[in-house]
């Protein structure tokens, strides 16, 4: 039965801004509101904390400097509140699976894990365990003061004097030397506190709260070469923008939907960032704080009693090159108009699956977002993203190139086939189509 209509008073500008985000995600405003209400029911309250937060700073993209909280918008504060609900810690096995493709990228480099408690983060553990193998110059990790995980697994009070026992404070850990003899254990995955008694290593309190946008953390970012971490998903745009503005190399984890963000997709299109090599489908396990609700399917406790959830659509984002992204797709299909219909509003054909890309088609093709998992920049050109923000975010030259014509049903630029709106598509072109 069709759900009855409900009238809600919403500020027009807020509605337009929300619609723009939902269009990027490929859902309607109604679906977004329904998802929010379901979260309210699941959490038995607001699905994010509502309070003032004046402890962090944000990067001003125009000046590339930190600015005080007084100038932050309400939207930034809301995102910071939501971030408390996505404090996810990545498994060591997922980190190992991805990092194996970049080992030559770390020699004599300073690695910064700027969203990671040193004793709880598997990123920090990985780089300590492989410090000598990777020939690192230095490893730095910073802890967020309000993290629910901070100091949970390893008590660090005695390492952080004069910090009062039991009082959470942000701190940083610096490693310049690792004695592999300290790391011997049955599973070789623990970090001994004796590590910080070695020459050149230290752990000390930060003056601020350890937010990645804080003045202290921005200074540490300036001194680093490569950032490897799991940023809060709700702050992914801010985090990516910070790294790009600082021209840093990075390997970070996020959701596949982030690839469609207006701040992110142009970087992919222009071959400035790309997806990693190890995760292309399925979900991944993340450890969460003890207060995190385990209401969804697939959540639970591991053998050590740690809470975890499973998150779908996870991907690695990086600007570190690897051979896997230059292997090319094996194209076995050939073009025929019955199988590949033309969009009503684009001079392009629709390809429903990446594996079905025709090898002989010389024109523009609309492919699923997951095409990015197999994208080889030597084989294809990415032209644009055909989603609900095309008219707002694309320049006239690109729209002319892809033959875009406004359609009543395209909601700002989504591809339309036989009058029906399709899913968001990436418009591509084969650089060297097969000639029969």
């Amino acid at each position: 039965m069709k759900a009855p209509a409900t009238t809600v008073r919403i500020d027009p500008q807020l509605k337009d801004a929300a619609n723009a985000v939902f269009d990027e995600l490929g859902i309607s405003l109604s679906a977004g509101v329904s998802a929010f209400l379901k979260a309210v029911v699941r959490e038995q309250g607001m699905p994010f904390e509502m309070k003032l937060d004046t402890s962090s700073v944000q990067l001003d993209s125009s000046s590339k400097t930190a600015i005080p909280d007084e100038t932050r918008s309400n939207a930034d504060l809301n995102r910071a509140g939501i971030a408390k609900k996505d404090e996810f810690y990545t498994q060591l096995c997922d980190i190992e699976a991805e990092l194996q493709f970049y080992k030559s990228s770390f020699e004599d480099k300073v690695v910064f894990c700027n969203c990671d408690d040193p004793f709880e983060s598997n990123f920090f553990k990985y780089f300590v365990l492989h410090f000598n193998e990777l020939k690192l110059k230095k490893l730095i990790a910073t802890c967020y003061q309000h993290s629910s995980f901070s100091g949970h697994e390893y008590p660090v009070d005695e390492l952080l004097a004069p910090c009062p026992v039991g009082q959470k404070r942000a701190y940083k850990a610096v490693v310049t030397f690792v004695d592999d003899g300290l790391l011997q254990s049955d599973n070789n995955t623990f970090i001994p506190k004796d590590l910080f008694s070695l020459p050149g290593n230290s752990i000390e309190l930060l003056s601020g709260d350890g937010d990645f946008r804080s003045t202290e953390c921005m200074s540490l970012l300036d001194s680093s070469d490569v950032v490897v971490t799991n940023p809060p998903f709700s702050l992914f745009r801010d985090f990516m923008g910070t790294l790009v503005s600082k021209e840093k190399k990075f390997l970070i984890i996020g959701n596949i939907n982030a690839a469609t963000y207006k701040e992110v997709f142009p970087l992919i299109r222009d071959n400035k960032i790309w997806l990693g090599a190890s995760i292309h489908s399925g979900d991944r396990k993340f450890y969460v704080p003890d207060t995190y609700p385990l209401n969804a399917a697939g959540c639970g406790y591991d053998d050590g009693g740690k809470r975890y959830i499973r998150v779908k659509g996870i991907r690695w984002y990086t600007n570190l090159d690897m051979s896997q992204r230059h292997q090319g797709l094996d194209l076995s299909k050939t073009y025929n108009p019955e199988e590949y219909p033309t969009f009503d509003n684009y001079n392009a054909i629709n390809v429903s699956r990446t594996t079905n890309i025709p090898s002989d088609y010389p024109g523009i093709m609309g492919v699923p977002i997951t095409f990015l998992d197999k994208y080889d920049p030597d084989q294809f050109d990415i032209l644009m993203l055909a989603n609900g923000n095309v008219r707002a975010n694309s320049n006239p030259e690109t729209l002319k190139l892809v033959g875009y014509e406004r359609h009543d049903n395209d909601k700002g630029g989504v591809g339309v086939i036989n009058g029906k709106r399709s899913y968001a598509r990436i418009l591509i072109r084969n650089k060297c189509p097969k000639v029969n």
Side-chain angles (χ1 to χ4, degrees):
M1 181 177 68
K2 188 175 181 180
T6 301
T7 301
V8 180
R9 294 183 184 275
I10 303 176
D11 178 82
Q13 291 184 334
L14 175 61
K15 181 180 178 182
D16 290 343
N19 263 321
V21 174
F22 291 141
D23 281 340
E24 289 187 19
L25 297 176
I27 64 175
S28 66
L29 177 63
S30 176
V33 172
S34 294
F36 168 75
L37 294 178
K38 289 178 180 178
V40 169
V41 173
R42 182 181 67 245
E43 301 289 340
Q44 290 297 290
M46 297 296 283
F48 49 81
E49 291 189 53
M50 298 183 66
K51 69 176 186 177
L52 297 179
D53 185 350
T54 59
S55 58
S56 304
V57 298
Q58 181 182 2
L59 184 72
D60 183 338
S61 59
S62 62
S63 63
K64 299 183 182 180
T65 58
I67 60 177
D69 279 330
E70 289 76 14
T71 62
R72 296 178 67 189
S73 67
N74 288 334
D76 292 328
L77 291 174
N78 287 337
R79 286 201 299 270
I82 295 171
K84 300 290 186 65
K85 288 293 185 181
D86 58 6
E87 188 180 355
F88 304 157
Y89 275 64
T90 311
Q91 290 191 109
L92 183 61
C93 60
D94 288 328
I95 297 171
E96 291 172 332
E98 183 67 22
L99 266 294
Q100 65 178 311
F101 301 108
Y102 311 94
K103 290 189 174 181
S104 62
S105 300
F106 294 101
E107 184 173 352
D108 200 34
K109 295 293 192 296
V110 177
V111 173
F112 187 23
C113 302
N114 55 347
C115 292
D116 299 275
D117 183 290
F119 288 108
E120 314 300 332
S121 165
N122 284 316
F123 286 98
F124 187 78
K125 289 180 183 179
Y126 174 86
F127 284 111
V128 168
L129 294 171
H130 298 273
F131 191 94
N132 294 321
E133 175 191 353
L134 297 174
K135 301 179 181 179
L136 293 183
K137 180 179 181 180
K138 182 187 291 186
L139 171 62
I140 307 171
T142 51
C143 165
Y144 182 52
Q145 177 180 339
H146 303 293
S147 167
S148 302
F149 268 124
S150 178
H152 182 273
E153 184 174 335
Y154 285 85
V156 294
D157 293 336
E158 65 270 25
L159 297 176
L160 295 172
C163 181
V165 174
Q167 178 180 323
K168 285 190 175 183
R169 287 287 303 275
Y171 56 92
K172 69 174 180 179
V174 178
V175 175
T176 63
F177 175 74
V178 174
D179 180 356
D180 287 339
L182 290 176
L183 305 177
Q184 300 304 315
S185 69
D186 293 338
N187 56 20
N188 202 35
T189 60
F190 80 105
I191 301 299
K193 289 189 287 293
D194 290 345
L195 176 70
F196 296 101
S197 65
L198 298 176
N201 300 345
S202 64
I203 183 167
E204 58 187 84
L205 293 171
L206 295 173
S207 299
D209 66 359
D211 188 301
F212 69 85
R213 299 160 295 185
S214 68
T215 302
E216 289 174 294
C217 289
M218 292 294 287
S219 178
L220 291 171
L221 178 61
D222 288 337
S223 70
S224 68
D225 299 305
V226 187
V227 172
V228 185
T229 191
N230 174 13
F233 289 174
S234 62
L235 298 175
F236 191 88
R237 285 182 174 91
D238 292 345
F239 193 82
M240 175 74 77
T242 299
L243 299 182
V244 172
S245 69
K246 292 289 187 177
E247 299 181 347
K248 294 299 178 180
K249 293 294 185 180
F250 60 85
L251 176 64
I252 61 177
I253 202 164
N255 194 278
I256 184 62
N257 288 333
T260 67
Y261 295 165
K262 62 182 180 180
E263 300 89 350
V264 177
F265 184 81
L267 300 172
I268 296 176
R269 177 198 62 203
D270 298 340
N271 203 31
K272 294 180 179 179
I273 69 170
W274 41 87
L275 299 192
S278 65
I279 302 178
H280 300 311
S281 62
D283 56 17
R284 287 299 181 274
K285 180 191 294 185
F286 290 86
Y287 292 115
V288 293
D290 290 341
T291 56
Y292 199 96
L294 302 179
N295 299 328
C299 299
Y301 298 84
D302 68 5
D303 293 338
K306 283 187 176 182
R307 288 183 174 225
Y308 68 84
I309 63 170
R310 304 195 72 90
V311 182
K312 293 182 178 180
I314 294 301
R315 296 295 190 276
W316 291 95
Y317 291 81
T318 187
N319 56 2
L320 299 172
D321 206 3
M322 71 281 197
S323 60
Q324 285 70 23
R325 66 185 295 256
H326 300 284
Q327 294 178 347
L329 272 170
D330 184 14
L331 306 177
S332 59
K333 304 279 287 187
T334 56
Y335 170 73
N336 69 78
E338 290 76 22
E339 186 174 353
Y340 302 97
T342 301
F343 291 102
D344 298 349
N345 52 342
Y346 291 98
N347 183 20
I349 62 171
N350 181 54
V351 181
S352 59
R353 299 178 61 185
T354 299
T355 55
N356 291 342
I357 294 175
S359 62
D360 58 344
Y361 192 74
I364 300 172
M365 299 171 279
V367 296
I369 304 299
T370 51
F371 161 81
L372 296 175
D373 290 323
K374 302 293 184 181
Y375 170 52
D376 179 350
D378 304 318
Q379 187 178 22
F380 295 100
D381 282 321
I382 292 179
L383 305 179
M384 62 172 283
L385 175 65
N387 68 350
N389 284 323
V390 165
R391 292 197 292 268
N393 297 332
S394 300
N395 60 58
E397 292 78 14
T398 300
L399 294 179
K400 183 177 179 179
L401 173 66
V402 299
Y404 174 70
E405 294 183 359
R406 186 166 183 165
H407 193 285
D408 291 341
N409 294 335
D410 70 13
K411 289 185 69 67
V414 179
V416 176
I417 301 174
N418 296 325
K420 295 183 178 180
R421 192 167 58 250
S422 68
Y423 296 103
R425 288 287 187 260
I426 297 175
L427 301 186
I428 66 169
R429 186 162 48 194
N430 194 334
K431 288 186 174 182
C432 299
K434 183 178 179 181
V435 179
N436 293 325

